[in-house]
């Protein structure tokens, strides 16, 4: 048996990245203190190998909550902590979703975090205002024929759709559009990596691999 420093481990990942969130969710679920006897193999393995599994799970859930609040992702926050029925996004492969059996068996909460309704109301309004501001910024840049401004605006909209709105389809569309307005080589590299990242998280592996390869040779 060994102890696991979840905060030290997760600090290796960028603060706002989707990868960081997915790793935290995996750790929280795998180390959950579930004595009902219906744990899956990964959960049983984690609980048997880590002496502080219950503490790790609690910390991971708290970090998940902090992550979602910091990026303003209200939709995913409600899905995880509000026990809302999750809807499968048609552009994300089924392999990234739980099966019906898994969904029904995990319907009970495995954390003690209470839903923050004030955060939901406040952040929903803020996200709407932010989207309007980003859209206006794009319109202004387009009217001024500013390639730098258009590229930056599309990039900002792509990040907003991916991290905040849980709308990977529009995130990919904006990322692809931003490529047409790159001015410097650094702009091009950043856009290629952004498209690769969005491609991975939308399950479009071919797009992700293609643009990752282009980024290596940029």
């Amino acid at each position: 048996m060994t102890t696991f420093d979840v905060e030290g481990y997760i600090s290796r990942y960028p603060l706002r990245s989707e990868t960081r969130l997915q790793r935290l969710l995996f750790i929280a679920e795998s180390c959950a203190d579930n004595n009902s006897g219906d744990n899956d193999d990964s959960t049983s393995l984690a609980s048997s190998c880590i002496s502080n599994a219950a503490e790790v799970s609690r910390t991971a859930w708290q970090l998940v909550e902090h992550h979602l609040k910091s990026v303003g992702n209200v939709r995913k926050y409600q899905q995880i902590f509000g026990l809302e029925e999750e809807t499968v996004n048609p552009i994300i492969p089924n392999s990234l979703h739980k099966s019906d059996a898994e969904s029904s068996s995990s319907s009970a909460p495995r954390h003690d975090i209470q839903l923050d309704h004030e955060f939901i109301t406040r952040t929903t309004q803020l996200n709407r205002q932010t989207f309007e501001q980003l859209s206006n910024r794009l319109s202004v840049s387009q009217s001024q024929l500013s390639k730098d401004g258009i590229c930056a605006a599309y990039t900002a909209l792509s990040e907003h759709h991916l991290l905040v709105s849980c709308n990977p389809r529009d995130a990919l569309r904006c990322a692809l559009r931003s490529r047409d307005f790159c001015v410097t080589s650094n702009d091009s590299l950043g856009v290629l990596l952004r498209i690769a990242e969005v491609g991975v998280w939308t399950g479009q592996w071919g797009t992700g691999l293609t643009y990752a390869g282009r980024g290596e040779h940029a």
Side-chain angles (χ1 to χ4, degrees):
M1 298 284 282
T2 183
T3 59
F4 180 66
D5 179 10
V6 61
E7 294 185 72
Y9 169 79
I10 210 64
S11 65
R12 306 172 186 176
Y13 295 89
L15 288 175
R16 294 173 59 87
S17 71
E18 179 71 13
T19 303
R20 175 188 175 93
L21 174 61
Q22 294 301 323
R23 295 309 298 164
L24 284 171
L25 287 171
F26 176 80
I27 293 169
E29 288 286 356
S30 297
C31 296
D33 184 15
N34 188 341
N35 297 318
S36 61
D38 59 355
N39 293 359
D40 59 24
D41 292 341
S42 61
T43 302
S44 301
L45 179 61
S47 299
S48 62
C49 294
I50 300 175
S51 59
N52 62 334
E55 178 186 351
V56 167
S57 181
R58 285 193 297 271
T59 301
W61 282 123
Q62 291 168 359
L63 291 172
V64 167
E65 180 189 33
H66 181 268
H67 175 95
L68 294 173
K69 285 187 172 183
S70 66
V71 301
N73 194 329
V74 174
R75 181 180 177 185
K76 191 165 290 186
Y77 174 83
Q78 289 179 298
Q79 288 177 344
I80 294 173
F81 297 115
L83 296 181
E84 291 190 348
E85 182 179 356
E86 295 190 22
T87 56
V88 176
N89 192 312
I91 64 174
I92 298 181
N94 293 332
S95 61
L96 296 184
H97 295 277
K98 294 180 179 180
S99 65
D100 293 338
E102 289 174 323
S103 297
S104 61
S105 66
S106 61
S107 58
R110 308 181 82 177
H111 53 77
D112 56 2
I113 295 175
Q114 300 298 315
L115 195 65
D116 187 344
H117 294 282
E118 181 182 353
F119 160 75
I120 294 173
T121 302
R122 182 181 66 253
T123 308
T124 298
Q125 182 178 3
L126 179 61
N127 288 345
R128 186 179 301 112
Q129 294 172 351
T130 300
F131 176 74
E132 292 174 355
Q133 291 171 357
L134 293 175
S135 298
N136 290 336
R137 185 188 305 172
L138 175 61
S139 297
V140 171
S141 297
Q142 288 173 328
S143 66
Q144 295 175 346
L145 301 179
S146 170
K147 294 187 69 173
D148 277 342
I150 295 173
C151 181
Y154 272 124
T155 299
L157 279 169
S158 176
E159 181 175 357
H160 180 85
H161 285 308
L162 184 64
L163 298 181
V164 177
S165 303
C166 286
N167 190 343
R169 187 189 302 276
D170 283 344
L172 183 58
R173 176 182 59 81
C174 289
L176 288 168
R177 286 290 292 141
S178 65
R179 188 178 178 223
D180 297 332
F181 301 95
C182 293
V183 176
T184 68
S185 57
N186 285 337
D187 290 340
S188 298
L189 178 59
V191 166
L192 290 173
L193 294 178
R194 163 64 61 181
I195 296 173
E197 178 185 13
V198 177
V200 169
W201 287 112
T202 56
Q204 300 189 36
W205 314 116
T207 298
L209 287 172
T210 296
Y211 282 92
R214 292 179 182 177
E216 291 180 350
H217 298 92

